C-alpha cells in the first residue's frame, strides 16, 4: 500500500521540536568553551572536555535507535524517546551554569564537564528518533522536503540560541562578565530560556504528531508483521548489532568518509572559534586562556574580562549568522538538489564552507566601528564585523550537512531497521569529533603555538577534502528518480 503524502504543516509538526533541541544545542556550541574557560579549563584541554559530546552520541544513538525500532506503545514508537531526552537535556541546561553552587561536592570545572555529557547525551536521545521519525512518517517523494524542513527548523533554533547572550547583554542589560570561577549572568539566563524552549517545542511535536500503527506502518513500508522475538542474551544482541554494522549499506560507508571531514571541521569550529577571534581580532594573548596563569591571579583585569566577554558574545552573533544563512539556504535546498542533483549540491556546499573557514585569516582589522544591531548600538572591531562574510559559506555547508546525507542515505536503508541504522550512522558524526578532540588540542599547542586562528584554517582544508569525497558516493535514489523522469 502506498504511503500517503502529508500536508505541509504535518511535515512541519513532525520536526518542530527540533527547533528547541537545536536552540539548546546552539547555546552549548557557542558558549560551552566560554563556560569551561571561566570555570578553569586550559585552552589546549578544551577539546578534551568536548569529547563528552561525541562519546555520548556514540554510545546513546545506536542504543536508542535499536530500542525505538522495537517500541510500539500508546505514546508511539519514537515519541517516548524524544520526550524523555528533552526532559533530561533541559535539566542539564538548568544545572550547568550553576556549577559554582556545587563546589562543596565537586570542582566547578568537573561539574561543568559532567553537565556537558548529560546535555549532549540527552540531545542525542532526542535527535536520533527525530531523524527516524521523518523516515517513518514522510513518504519517499517527500523525504528531501522533510529533511529540508528539519534543517530549516534546526537553523531557526540555532539563530535564536546563538544570539541570546548578546541580546541579554545589549538589549536587556545583563552583565556578560563574572568573577573568576563563575559564569556570566547572560549565559546563565540564556540557558534557562533555552531549556524552557526545548521542552515546549518537543512537547508540541509529541502532541501534534500521531505515529502510524504497526500494521499500517508495515503495509506502507512493504513489511510483513514480525514474529515475536525469542529472548536473546546480551552477547547475541551485540553479535546482531555487529553484523548490522559490518553489513551496512555501501552508500553509508561512502558517506562516512564525507562525514569524517565535515564533522572533524565542525568540532574544531565549535571548540576554538571563541579563543580564535579573541586572540586574532580582540588582540588578547594566549596566556589569558592558560589555567595555571589565571590561577596565579587574584582577579582578572577588567579590560581582559571585558574583551573576552565581548568576543564571547560576538561568537554568538557569527554563529547565529551562519545558522541564519543555513536556514535561508534550506528553503531553496530542495529545489537546487532536484535540479542539479543531491551529490553536486552537497559537494559545492561543503566547498563553500571550507573556503569560509580559511578566509578567517583575511579579517584581523582591530579598528573599532559603531554598528546598529538588533535594536541596539555596539562598538566592535571591524574584523569581527567582517566575519559575517565567511559565515555565508559556513551556513551553506551546515544546511547541506544537516539534510543531504540523510536524504541520500534514507532510501538505501531497510525499513524495519531504519532506527538502528540511523543510530549506527551517528558513528560517522561522533568518531571524527572524537578524533578531532584527541588531536586538535595537541596540534594547536605544538604546531600552531596556541594561535587558535590556524586551527580554523585546518578545519577549512578538511571541509574541502569532504567536498571532494562526495564524488565517490553512490546515490541510488537519485539515479532511480532520474530514470523515472526520463521515461
Amino acid at each position: 500500500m502506498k504511503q500517503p503524502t502529508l500536508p505541509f504543516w504535518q511535515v512541519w509538526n513532525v520536526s518542530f521540536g527540533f527547533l528547541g533541541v537545536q536552540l539548546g544545542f546552539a547555546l552549548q556550541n557557542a558558549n560551552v568553551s566560554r563556560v569551561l574557560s571561566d570555570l578553569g579549563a586550559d585552552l589546549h584541554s578544551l577539546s578534551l572536555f568536548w569529547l563528552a559530546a561525541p562519546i555520548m552520541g556514540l554510545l546513546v544513538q545506536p542504543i536508542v535507535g535499536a530500542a525505538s525500532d522495537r517500541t510500539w506503545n500508546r505514546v508511539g514508537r519514537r515519541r517516548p524517546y524524544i520526550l524523555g531526552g528533552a526532559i533530561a537535556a533541559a535539566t542539564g541546561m538548568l544545572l550547568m551554569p550553576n556549577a559554582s553552587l556545587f563546589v562543596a561536592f565537586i570542582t566547578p570545572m568537573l561539574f561543568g564537564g559532567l553537565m556537558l555529557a548529560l546535555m549532549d547525551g540527552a540531545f542525542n536521545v532526542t535527535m536520533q528518533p527525530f531523524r527516524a521519525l521523518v523516515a517513518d512518517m514522510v513518504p519517499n517523494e517527500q523525504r528531501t522536503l522533510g529533511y529540508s524542513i528539519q534543517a530549516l527548523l534546526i537553523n531557526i533554533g540555532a539563530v535564536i540560541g546563538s544570539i541570546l547572550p548578546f541580546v541579554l547583554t545589549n538589549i536587556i542589560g545583563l552583565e556578560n562578565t563574572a568573577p573568576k570561577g563563575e559564569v556570566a549572568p547572560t549565559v546563565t539566563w540564556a540557558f534557562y530560556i533555552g531549556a524552557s524552549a526545548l521542552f515546549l517545542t518537543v512537547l508540541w511535536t509529541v502532541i501534534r504528531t500521531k505515529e502510524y500503527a504497526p500494521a499500517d506502518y508495515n503495509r506502507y513500508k512493504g513489511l510483513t508483521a514480525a514474529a515475536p522475538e525469542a529472548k536473546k542474551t546480551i552477547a547475541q544482541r551485540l553479535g546482531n548489532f555487529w553484523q548490522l554494522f559490518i553489513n551496512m549499506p555501501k552508500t553509508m560507508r561512502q558517506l562516512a568518509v564525507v562525514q569524517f571531514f565535515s564533522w572533524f571541521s565542525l568540532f574544531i569550529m565549535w571548540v576554538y572559534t571563541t579563543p580564535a577571534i579573541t586572540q586574532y581580532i580582540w588582540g588578547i594573548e594566549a596566556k589569558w586562556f592558560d589555567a595555571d596563569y589565571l590561577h596565579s591571579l587574584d582577579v582578572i583585569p577588567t579590560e581582559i574580562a571585558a574583551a573576552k566577554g565581548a568576543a564571547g558574545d560576538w561568537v554568538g552573533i557569527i554563529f547565529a549568522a551562519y545558522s541564519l544563512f543555513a536556514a535561508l539556504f534550506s528553503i531553496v535546498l530542495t529545489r537546487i538538489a532536484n535540479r542539479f542533483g543531491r551529490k553536486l549540491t552537497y559537494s559545492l556546499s561543503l566547498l563553500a564552507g571550507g573556503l569560509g573557514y580559511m578566509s578567517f585569516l583575511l579579517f584581523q582589522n582591530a579598528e573599532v566601528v559603531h554598528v546598529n544591531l538588533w535594536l541596539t548600538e555596539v562598538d566592535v572591531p571591524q574584523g569581527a564585523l567582517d566575519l559575517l562574510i565567511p559565515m555565508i559559506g559556513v551556513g551553506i555547508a551546515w544546511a547541506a550537512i544537516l539534510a543531504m546525507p540523510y536524504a541520500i542515505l534514507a532510501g538505501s536503508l531497510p525499513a524495519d531497521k531504519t532506527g538502528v541504522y540511523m543510530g549506527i550512522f551517528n558513528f560517522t558524526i561522533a568518531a571524527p569529533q572524537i578524533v578531532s578532540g584527541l588531536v586538535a588540542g595537541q596540534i594547536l599547542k605544538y604546531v600552531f603555538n596556541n594561535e587558535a586562528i590556524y586551527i580554523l584554517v585546518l578545519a577549512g582544508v578538511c571541509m574541502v577534502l569532504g567536498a571532494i569525497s562526495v564524488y565517490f558516493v553512490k546515490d541510488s535514489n537519485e539515479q532511480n528518480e532520474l530514470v523515472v523522469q526520463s521515461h
Side-chain angles (χ1 to χ4, degrees):
M1 181 182 294
K2 180 176 171 57
Q3 185 173 351
T5 57
L6 299 179
F8 175 84
W9 289 112
Q10 186 56 50
V11 179
W12 176 278
N13 288 338
V14 167
S15 292
F16 184 68
F18 229 136
L19 185 152
V21 175
Q22 191 61 31
L23 194 157
F25 196 58
L27 281 169
Q28 172 183 290
N29 290 343
N31 295 283
V32 162
S33 287
R34 176 180 178 180
V35 170
L36 292 174
S37 293
D38 288 343
L39 296 177
D42 267 325
L43 180 63
H44 60 270
S45 66
L46 282 177
S47 63
L48 298 178
F49 278 96
W50 272 85
L51 281 176
I55 288 173
M56 292 303 294
L58 196 65
L59 295 173
V60 168
Q61 288 219 20
I63 294 172
V64 172
S68 67
D69 278 342
R70 296 193 301 270
T71 298
W72 297 99
N73 59 35
R74 245 180 357 179
V75 180
R77 189 185 192 197
R78 315 293 182 185
R79 289 183 298 170
Y81 301 92
I82 292 172
L83 182 60
I87 293 171
T91 301
M93 293 182 69
L94 293 173
L95 292 176
M96 185 176 189
N98 294 296
S100 59
L101 299 179
F102 297 86
V103 68
F105 309 100
I106 188 172
T107 62
M109 186 170 62
L110 182 56
F111 183 84
L114 290 174
M115 288 303 100
L116 173 59
L118 171 62
M119 283 193 304
D120 209 273
F123 286 146
N124 278 284
V125 170
T126 305
M127 286 178 179
Q128 196 285 331
F130 259 120
R131 300 289 192 194
L133 185 64
V134 172
D136 287 352
M137 300 296 298
V138 178
N140 186 59
E141 62 268 24
Q142 289 184 300
R143 197 158 284 158
T144 301
L145 171 66
Y147 284 115
S148 295
I149 288 175
Q150 193 170 89
L152 172 64
L153 289 166
I154 285 171
N155 286 297
I156 292 172
V159 169
I160 297 170
S162 297
I163 67 173
L164 263 179
F166 179 90
V167 170
L168 293 174
T169 297
N170 294 283
I171 296 180
I172 306 302
L174 296 181
E175 283 292 325
N176 69 346
T177 60
K180 188 174 70 172
E182 297 183 17
V183 178
T186 51
V187 177
T188 299
W189 278 100
F191 272 65
Y192 292 166
I193 295 169
S196 303
L198 188 157
F199 177 74
L200 292 174
T201 56
V202 166
L203 191 62
W204 177 273
T205 285
V206 170
I207 292 173
R208 302 289 294 181
T209 300
K210 183 179 179 181
E211 295 184 74
Y212 294 122
D216 291 335
Y217 180 84
N218 289 334
R219 284 198 298 271
Y220 296 148
K221 303 298 182 182
L223 302 173
T224 56
E229 282 191 21
K231 289 188 176 180
K232 296 178 181 178
T233 65
I234 293 177
Q236 288 173 323
R237 292 188 183 279
L238 289 174
N240 289 345
F241 178 82
W242 179 245
Q243 286 298 317
L244 287 171
F245 185 85
I246 63 176
N247 293 318
M248 70 174 67
K250 186 177 180 180
T251 299
M252 185 184 289
R253 295 178 186 277
Q254 295 164 339
L255 283 168
V257 179
V258 184
Q259 291 279 89
F260 178 86
F261 291 118
S262 302
W263 288 93
F264 187 95
S265 303
L266 290 169
F267 188 85
I268 287 174
M269 178 185 71
W270 293 327
V271 176
Y272 290 115
T273 298
T274 297
I277 72 168
T278 305
Q279 294 173 0
Y280 195 66
I281 297 177
W282 266 264
I284 303 302
E285 296 178 68
K287 70 180 182 180
W288 294 106
F289 291 88
D290 185 290
D292 291 334
Y293 179 74
L294 293 176
H295 287 157
S296 69
L297 303 174
D298 292 328
V299 294
I300 299 174
T302 302
E303 66 275 12
I304 299 297
K308 292 177 73 174
D313 285 348
W314 195 256
V315 168
I317 294 299
I318 63 174
F319 277 21
Y322 89 72
S323 298
L324 177 61
F325 294 133
L328 295 175
F329 187 64
S330 296
I331 297 172
V332 298
L333 180 59
T334 301
R335 184 174 299 177
I336 293 173
N338 287 341
R339 177 160 186 174
F340 298 103
R342 285 194 274 245
K343 284 177 54 177
L344 181 60
T345 302
Y346 190 15
S347 180
L348 292 179
S349 298
L350 295 182
L351 178 62
L355 295 176
Y357 285 137
M358 289 187 282
S359 69
F360 269 53
L361 270 178
L362 302 176
F363 307 110
Q364 196 182 12
N365 190 343
E367 180 184 351
V368 175
V369 295
H370 192 71
V371 296
N372 292 313
L373 194 64
W374 285 313
L375 306 179
T376 189
E377 297 182 348
V378 294
D379 294 324
V380 296
Q382 180 65 52
L385 189 62
D386 293 339
L387 284 180
L388 296 174
I389 298 171
M391 289 300 106
I392 297 172
V394 174
I396 289 172
W398 179 235
I401 289 168
L402 291 175
M404 300 314 297
Y406 298 96
I408 293 171
L409 177 66
S412 68
L413 299 180
D416 58 335
K417 294 181 176 64
T418 298
V420 68
Y421 269 126
M422 285 289 187
I424 290 173
F425 191 60
N426 190 62
F427 280 52
T428 69
I429 295 174
Q433 293 183 73
I434 291 172
V435 174
S436 184
L438 291 173
V439 305
Q442 303 307 308
I443 294 172
L444 177 61
K445 183 176 182 179
Y446 295 109
V447 179
F448 299 134
N449 195 30
N450 281 331
E451 294 186 45
I453 190 67
Y454 295 110
I455 202 78
L456 293 181
V457 176
L458 176 63
V461 173
C462 290
M463 192 70 84
V464 172
L465 293 175
I468 295 170
S469 302
V470 175
Y471 174 80
F472 301 98
V473 175
K474 181 181 179 182
D475 185 358
S476 55
N477 250 4
E478 186 171 82
Q479 291 172 349
N480 291 338
E481 288 170 10
L482 289 174
V483 170
V484 171
Q485 289 171 9
S486 67
H487 284 96

